[in-house]
Amino acid sequence: MAYGEARTRFRGSISPVVTPFHEDERIDFDTFTELINWHIESGSHGISVTGTSGEPSSMSVDERINVMETAGKTVNGRVPFIPGTGSTNHQETLRMTKAAQEMGADGALVIVPYYNKPNQHALYKHFKAIADSVDIPIILYNIPGRTAVNLKADTIAALAKDCPNIIGVKEANKDFEHVNKVLLKAGRDFNLYSGIEVLCYPMLAIGGAGHISATANVAPTEVADLFNKWEAGDVNGAQDLHYHLMPLNDVLFRDTNPAPAKTALSMMGKIKPVLRKPLDVPSEEVQEEVRSTLISYNLI
């Protein structure tokens, strides 16, 4: 796929699908396949796995590659498939990104290394080496709340200039001034995706390409329709959906993602409410809040 074509095709709601587990914490591949099919049938414009919502840091590299392969076969070209291949370990990131290319993924979502806190020059070298190692499109993933370091707009712009296959960035960043500067400095044809639920609509308004929102795990149709309405010029409809989704967005982050989302999906009959340690299900109080919110949205 030409990189220009990828910029056009990788638009809309790219669902960051959770990884279902059995009670003993083994990966539940049958349920995982059903979830992906449900997302596509519900109107999601793309599928991503092994990102934050998929609990990748709780999996081995081999497990992550197995999850990616299962997802790719399930998607089967129906929508863009962009797995998360990043890690705190550079060599692991190289291995998983190369594996994504070998299995036919449409692109890769590569997170800023977490815990290490590299400086901007080190981040540039890390991402450039990853981009140079493959021929598939790369979407950077900036989530300073999890990684403890912010990928600055100047660094993103330098990577976009020097690496033709770095086509966009997922910004799970509450600093709206920063995300505006990303498009100013990297170019307005650079694909900007919101990873902050309440900013999905505002990022479309400044020229964003879509969103990779955890809320899509629970309400894939509505999250996709937010983009559809904006793209169709239905500004009022998009605004209405933005405000309609806000209470659901809020409750899904009452605890660490993806714990509330998995709780919601279990209440909806989609998965078992199992997370891998060290994560666990939310408190009973939060579970009741999730339940009442789902009822208010007619999801259960």
Side-chain angles (χ1 to χ4, degrees):
M1 180 188 300
Y3 303 135
E5 179 187 347
R7 290 175 190 260
T8 301
R9 188 167 179 242
F10 295 2
R11 293 179 60 83
S13 173
I14 301 170
S15 288
V17 183
V18 302
T19 306
F21 298 119
H22 293 287
E23 296 291 351
D24 61 4
E25 298 187 11
R26 289 181 299 112
I27 298 166
D28 184 348
F29 285 103
D30 290 340
T31 299
F32 184 53
T33 298
E34 292 172 3
L35 274 181
I36 291 170
N37 285 328
W38 175 60
H39 275 278
I40 295 173
E41 291 161 5
S42 298
S44 295
H45 304 101
I47 295 293
S48 185
V49 300
T50 58
T52 303
S53 297
E55 298 172 73
S57 60
S58 299
M59 297 185 207
S60 69
V61 172
D62 287 341
E63 283 181 315
R64 288 183 64 174
I65 290 173
N66 200 357
V67 166
M68 289 159 54
E69 288 174 340
T70 300
K73 290 174 182 175
T74 305
V75 172
N76 195 28
R78 289 178 287 172
V79 295
F81 171 52
I82 309 165
T85 61
S87 161
T88 193
N89 181 296
H90 180 75
Q91 292 301 321
E92 287 180 359
T93 304
L94 279 171
R95 179 184 167 192
M96 288 185 285
T97 308
K98 290 177 180 178
Q101 175 169 284
E102 290 166 3
M103 69 181 64
D106 297 292
L109 178 69
V110 186
I111 194 169
V112 169
Y114 36 94
Y115 183 76
N116 293 326
K117 296 184 72 174
N119 63 33
Q120 295 300 305
H121 180 63
L123 286 170
Y124 173 90
K125 291 174 67 177
H126 169 74
F127 282 116
K128 187 173 189 308
I130 300 300
D132 288 347
S133 74
V134 294
D135 295 324
I136 57 175
I138 299 292
I139 297 172
L140 308 171
Y141 181 8
N142 190 27
I143 179 168
R146 293 256 190 173
T147 63
V149 63
N150 184 44
L151 185 63
K152 293 184 178 178
D154 286 336
T155 308
I156 294 171
L159 286 164
K161 175 179 177 291
D162 297 341
C163 306
N165 58 332
I166 294 181
I167 67 161
V169 60
K170 174 184 176 181
E171 282 285 356
N173 195 328
K174 293 182 178 179
D175 184 347
F176 201 57
E177 181 180 355
H178 162 85
V179 298
N180 278 268
K181 287 181 178 178
V182 167
L183 286 185
L184 176 67
K185 295 184 176 186
R188 290 171 61 185
D189 61 342
F190 194 68
N191 282 25
L192 173 69
Y193 304 90
S194 178
I196 296 290
E197 279 57 36
V198 76
L199 294 183
C200 289
Y201 172 76
M203 283 204 200
L204 292 174
I206 64 169
H211 29 264
I212 307 174
S213 165
T215 302
N217 276 294
V218 177
T221 299
E222 290 81 357
V223 174
D225 279 349
L226 176 62
F227 176 84
N228 293 337
K229 288 182 183 298
W230 175 263
E231 196 79 343
D234 183 2
V235 174
N236 289 335
Q239 287 179 347
D240 288 345
L241 256 182
H242 166 70
Y243 288 106
H244 171 73
L245 286 167
M246 282 180 67
L248 182 59
N249 293 336
D250 287 345
V251 80
L252 292 179
F253 286 86
R254 288 286 190 263
D255 198 344
T256 302
N257 179 50
K262 280 193 154 184
T263 298
L265 285 168
S266 71
M267 292 175 180
M268 294 165 65
K270 299 289 185 183
I271 65 171
K272 296 181 179 70
V274 181
L275 294 98
R276 277 196 175 171
K277 297 176 184 65
L279 294 179
D280 200 0
V281 295
S283 67
E284 289 186 9
E285 179 183 359
V286 171
Q287 289 185 47
E288 282 308 308
E289 195 173 351
V290 170
R291 185 183 302 279
S292 63
T293 302
L294 294 180
I295 290 170
S296 72
Y297 280 83
N298 297 314
L299 291 171
I300 58 174

